Amino acid sequence: MIATLQDNGEERFPIVDPEGQIIGHATRRECHSGSMLLHPVVHLHVLNSKGELYLQKRPEWKDIQPGRWDTAVGGHIDLGENVEQALKREAQEELGLTDFSPTLVTHYVFESPRERELVFVHRTVYDGPVTPSAETAGGRFWTMQEIKKAMGKGVLTPNFEQEFERVFGHSENQQ
């Protein structure tokens, strides 16, 4: 079944300016085609009370960075959704999280050769059950040292590596 899963290229995303104001809309395929249309996404960093960070493994069928380890929750804001709605939906869909208290950390524009995203970054401390869905290839909590050892080795997504430095910097015990 997993081999037949794929992203819906016709899914519609809002197109925004760097402040997050909606200025249009486009399909996933258009946004990921190198068009550089700025579209909003949410990220949630999930730490446990031991200071370990949950990472999800991206499935091989994903159109961006298949098979690499990434932020615990990450997804597009759908047309008609706000940041908070998208964050709650993605956390439920990807990891089964419903009872968590997110804190907005930052937002920034991420650019790769294929796309441009306005990323709204959140974090939470969570010790409850994590139930990865078929949207992921599983996941686990990593120590900060494990993450630092994996950096630059093609194990983690480039976006995660940049965001990890931005959010966690060099502090080992930040929660």
Side-chain angles (χ1 to χ4, degrees), residues 37-106:
L37 293 169
L38 185 62
H39 56 287
V41 300
V42 291
H43 286 179
L44 177 65
H45 293 281
V46 178
L47 294 122
N48 63 22
S49 57
K50 295 188 279 186
E52 298 167 328
L53 187 62
Y54 189 91
L55 300 183
Q56 70 156 272
K57 187 161 187 188
R58 295 179 62 79
E60 293 296 332
W61 54 263
K62 292 300 277 183
D63 65 346
I64 303 279
Q65 299 294 327
R68 292 193 179 186
W69 291 88
D70 203 359
T71 309
V73 173
H76 292 90
I77 297 176
D78 290 338
L79 201 54
E81 261 184 332
N82 66 34
V83 172
E84 294 77 22
Q85 291 167 329
L87 186 66
K88 298 241 182 231
R89 176 182 51 77
E90 289 290 345
Q92 164 93 47
E93 285 176 5
E94 294 184 3
L95 300 181
L97 304 186
T98 57
D99 186 23
F100 65 98
S101 299
T103 301
L104 179 64
V105 177
T106 189

